[in-house]
Amino acid sequence: MSYEPLSSHPPYQYPPPAPPRYAAPRHQAPPPYPVPQHQASPPYPVPHPQTPPYATYPWQPPEPESEAGPRPPRRSALGHHSDLRILRGAYRRQRRVATLTALGYFTTFLVLSAFAPSFMTGEVADGLPTGLLLALVQLPVTWLATALYEYTARRRVDPIADRIRKQAEVDAKREAAR
């Protein structure tokens, strides 16, 4: 069986011939529209510095008409109160203790797995390796961290939050009475 080139195709040339070049147009037609000449724009008047006497948006509430300015609060605002700083600090400590308990144990487990394989493969009881025992203890440690979180919340954080909540209710009643 012999393969013969097809006679209908021209022989392959290397390098291939360059594509045909098209001649540029001999004249250029004028644009179908006049070209505008740009000029500097005239100065615009400055907008009115005052607000209009009517509501600019239909949903905008009318401005309150008061003869005297707002009364200053007798106490500092609730956001700057020292109880809130104490609450934030107690909550921050609570989160850190619970997080470090769970993640600290897990990190210790990972470090022992990576750097003390002989310890992790040692047997605690008949057929129970140390690594498996430490892995199974991870669940109770997580439960312990959750219980510690709830205990500190009930004992330290919730009383401060209740005190702030009651003070806010008293402040709201005072403001409503004015």
Side-chain angles (χ1 to χ4, degrees):
M1 183 178 262
S2 68
Y3 294 113
E4 296 180 18
L6 298 174
S7 61
S8 63
H9 292 288
Y12 179 75
Q13 294 179 358
Y14 185 79
R21 295 185 182 229
Y22 296 103
R26 296 184 187 207
H27 70 289
Q28 200 157 24
Y33 51 85
V35 177
Q37 298 296 323
H38 295 287
Q39 299 174 356
S41 61
Y44 291 102
V46 178
H48 299 288
Q50 66 218 22
T51 57
Y54 52 88
T56 55
Y57 299 104
W59 59 85
Q60 185 177 11
E63 292 186 23
E65 296 178 15
S66 62
E67 296 164 5
R71 291 173 39 174
R74 291 191 293 196
R75 292 176 26 143
S76 63
L78 187 61
H80 301 290
H81 200 269
S82 64
D83 281 346
L84 282 179
R85 283 190 300 250
I86 294 168
L87 178 65
R88 283 193 301 264
Y91 183 61
R92 192 176 307 121
R93 279 188 301 276
Q94 175 191 15
R95 284 185 316 209
R96 285 180 185 161
V97 167
T99 302
L100 289 177
T101 302
L103 288 180
Y105 182 84
F106 185 68
T107 303
T108 304
F109 175 75
L110 289 179
V111 167
L112 285 173
S113 296
F115 296 110
S118 61
F119 173 73
M120 296 298 274
T121 56
E123 290 188 3
V124 176
D126 229 4
L128 181 63
T130 308
L132 180 61
L133 180 67
L134 291 177
L136 292 174
V137 171
Q138 178 68 40
L139 189 61
V141 167
T142 306
W143 289 339
L144 176 71
T146 304
L148 183 66
Y149 186 86
E150 290 177 1
Y151 174 76
T152 56
R154 279 193 304 268
R155 180 152 185 186
R156 295 192 180 132
V157 178
D158 289 348
I160 299 169
D162 289 339
R163 185 173 57 214
I164 292 172
R165 192 176 298 116
K166 287 176 186 173
Q167 186 63 42
E169 289 172 3
V170 168
D171 288 346
K173 287 179 184 175
R174 254 190 229 143
E175 289 297 321
R178 288 185 184 180

